[in-house]
Amino acid sequence: MSGSRNKKNTALFALAAVLPVILLALSLNIGAYRIPPKAVFTTIVGAIFPGGSEAGPSPYADILFRIRLPRLLLALFAGAALAVSGASLQALFRNPLVFEFSLGISYGAAFGAALSLVFLGRRIPAQGAAFVFAIVAVLIVLAVAGKSASQIVSVLLSGVIVSAMFQALLSVVEFVANPYALQSLIFWLMGSLAQADWGDLAVSLPIIAVGVTVLILLRWRLNVLALGDDEARALGVNVRREKVVVIILATLTAAAATAVTGVINWVGLIVPHLVRMAVGPDNRKVIPLSAAYGASLLLVADDIARGAASFEIPIGILTSVVGIPFFIVLLKKSGKIWL
Amino acid sequence: MFIAALLALATSAGAEQPGGPAKVVDSLRRTVAVPARAERIISLEPEITRIVVALGAAERLIAVDFFLRNHDRLFPVVFPASRTLPVVSNSGQELNYEEALLLRPDIIFASPSEFRAAETIERKMRTPVLALASMGRFEDLLTEIGTVGRVLGLEERAAELTAYFRDRIESVRRITAAAPEAARPSVYLSFWGVLERTPVAYEPVETAGGRNCASGLLPAYLGSPGTNVPLEQLLLWDPEIILVQGNYPPGERRVTVSGILRDPRLSSLRAVRAGRVHYTFGYWYWWDPALVLVETLYLARLISPGKFPAFDLVSEGDAIFKEFYGTDGLFGRLCRVLECHEWKPE
Amino acid sequence: MTNVSSRPSYTVRRVGGDFRPGGPAGPWNELPALAVANYLWLDNSCRPPVAAKLCYSGLYLYVMFRVGERRVRVRYTKFQDPVYKDSCVEFFVDAFPETRLGYVNFETNAAGTLLAAFGPDRDHRKPLGPEDLAGFEVSGSIPGPLDGVHGAEVWTLEYRVPLALFRRIYGQEVRSGQRAAANFYKCGDETEVPHYGAWSRVETPAPDFHRPECFGELLFG
């Protein structure tokens, strides 16, 4: 019996390694501009191994390298970031309903973007402001929780309060915004990978890569922290410090993604739970698998967002439409969820 | 039978039943009974407010909306007394019902793009509500001027403005209409501060000799003038000219001409390679009838330069604005705010 | 004479029903842990952290260890083998110290191989037989002999001791309110880096776990 479980785990890991790559290759073929698959292949190969005859910059190269590839890479990295961040926070707080939204990251980022889009104009880009305020939100949460920052309830309650505060501030900004800034803001709030360009990725992707990697490396610690504060302390872990470290890493990772994509909720909730349902609660498996399957899920969602209709469906709406029913089912079953 | 006749007559916008309350069909295809001569007007639709002022009935406005008070730089100049009027809507253009009831309007104009606003207001206020907007088409704008003129009892003035508008437009159309469809340069309009948002109809472009890439697409919803297109669609269209909405101050613009020219994703577009990326006015909560006329002349020179002699845009604009609003130098003042003296057509 | 008030204390909570060691129904998540953190006698950096938890029912005393040790040595697999030479955790308990009859030592390596004896001190110990330990059950995360990494950062060991053993030795029932004396140890005489850890400090100059006067207190709740 454990043999068949081992086989299943091995299969899941093997799939996790190849699925994002396969989906990336398929997704390069999806888009309003029809490019024959063969042309996709030759254009990419031609870019990696230049030297063949070129008749000047082709629209295929522009579409693939300037529009599709940055967007797809953003989907992969953002999906991994949100899923790993959610999985880490759920393990840390031993609560299945926690994800980046619960710590005020989403509304903090939204408020930052609102300030930029409405008041600061091009002086400070929305991405930078969103990132900064996501961090500010979590720091406020930790400060409000104070000495009891290692207590789950305190941090979650603080997260609720801080989220509400930023939501209110966001409403104030919306109230005074001129209609066009308001439209840009609403567009941003719905979440979209359409604005991805290499400049944004150059800043976000390294942060996400580092954050996801370190959280994967810390998966052992998450197992120990998940045993409970007492036991973790007995096992020599500085519980308060480790919790703060994980919270800050999860925040940086999720904030770097949210700053570029806008608010895409529910990925950090859905993916870790699906992974746990398949492999159990051991974070040695949950964290790395969440990264791979989170990346794949967001990539598929983005393919649907841009390929299903002639207009662009905001991706945050797609993930909400799937995520909210999932959340309700999870709430009803949460007695059976184990961490 | 009487009702059937009424309904039959009311199927086209602006239809009237002689001897009874006038019936008007608005932009949302609602048939509304309007008073013979409205004296107390609330307009939540800036385009209509501007038409009311142009018709010379500014003193009948008993309130002003949030947008014109807080975000429009031209209106306080066109109608300075508006600063003393109460503001009856919030930033979402929702009507403050208590304030409005106290003002006892005869008629309320609403924007068709505000969801269900017209029906809700009519139900609560028991006052006729007309949802009117030109949606980017001249004929609809002119019909609107006629309708508002009828409602205000100022048909003569309305006819005068309509004739002037038609005359100026025809002077451009005469020259550009000769070009076959295929020879017209393709034009992409980026409006509303987002590169991918574009109006599905914008007649100044066609009148000026261009071809709107997005014409024929469905709007995002009934009452909306525009839609969102994926960036790849823009690359597929490969427009020869890109027009960016510039009808608000430079510091607030998120999509800019220089931004588009520098955007590596757009570098393969013909418009970018030829440097034919320009500002135009576009909407500012629908149209100002004088400004859209100026815009058409400006675009004619931009899109079909060989066909139109050079002219001083500011002088022409001032003359058009004087025809509508009776004041000198209005367009020049707007230009200083928008910095459109830099928009010289080639 | 050691100062009793400086000795650590742990409350052994009573659980409602019995469960199998290593099974899913264990109440461990809700129970407090004690730490084996006093590393003694050797000045090396080898101090594997150990957390232990206890609870009891009408029939059994349950003990659980979690050890933060990435590399382990397990060589001995037979009952009463010298498991203290392997990666080993130990539980010494005198359930009724007022009787002065002595204490039981339970020594288990990471695979659950047991060495157990009873007596008043180091030199007068009588090994327990299989019949004394009828009902004893053990479960661990390391299945068998090993020398090196076991694939995780932490290994776990759980066992349950039939309370009948204490009835047979002391002639009394363990009841709520009973104050026992005990200590918990971690050692590994032949592991890569030998080490000696204790819950309650042992104030001797040389390694000696057989010091009942240094035991801490277990209070049965």
Side-chain angles (χ1 to χ4, degrees), chain A residues 33-55:
Chain A
Y33 204 118
R34 295 264 168 263
I35 306 179
K38 189 166 172 238
V40 171
F41 180 76
T42 52
T43 308
I44 295 198
V45 168
I48 300 173
F49 305 107
S53 62
E54 276 296 333

Side-chain angles (χ1 to χ4, degrees), chain C residues 197-221:
Chain C
W199 173 48
S200 174
R201 267 192 92 78
V202 180
E203 310 289 359
T204 59
D208 187 358
F209 284 165
H210 290 268
R211 289 282 169 171
E213 67 273 21
C214 296
F215 283 5
E217 185 182 68
L218 292 185
L219 172 62
F220 284 83

Side-chain angles (χ1 to χ4, degrees), chain A residues 220 224 227 230-231 234-236 284, chain C residues 32-33 49-51 53 66 151 153:
Chain A
W220 308 109
V224 173
L227 298 171
D230 248 2
E231 227 181 295
L235 285 168
R284 286 179 291 161
Chain C
V50 179
K53 296 183 178 181
R66 267 200 251 264
E153 296 276 311

Side-chain angles (χ1 to χ4, degrees), chain A residues 62 66 68 122 178 183, chain B residues 197 232 252-253 264 267-268:
Chain A
D62 275 346
R66 294 223 165 102
R68 286 190 193 170
R122 292 188 297 284
N178 80 52
Q183 293 207 355
Chain B
R197 293 206 69 186
E232 290 189 22
E252 295 175 20
R253 290 177 204 148
S267 58
S268 65

Side-chain angles (χ1 to χ4, degrees), chain A residues 21 23 28 45 64 68 77 109 143 155 180 205 210 212 217 239 255 263 267-268 280 287 292 295 316 318 326 328 331:
Chain A
V21 178
L23 287 174
L28 280 166
V45 168
L64 287 172
R68 286 190 193 170
F77 276 75
V155 178
Y180 291 6
L205 260 50
V210 166
V212 168
L217 290 174
V239 167
V263 178
V267 173
I287 305 290
L318 269 179
F326 183 89
I328 292 171
L331 263 179

Side-chain angles (χ1 to χ4, degrees), chain A residues 26 49 55 73 123 169 181 184 266 271 290 307 319 323 329:
Chain A
L26 290 173
F49 305 107
L73 284 178
R123 285 189 291 281
L169 289 172
S184 295
W266 310 107
V271 172
S290 293
T319 57
V329 167

Side-chain angles (χ1 to χ4, degrees), chain A residues 88-104:
Chain A
S88 306
L89 292 175
Q90 283 154 23
L92 191 70
F93 290 107
R94 292 184 289 152
N95 185 313
L97 301 175
V98 168
F99 57 117
E100 63 279 358
F101 181 81
S102 325
L103 288 185

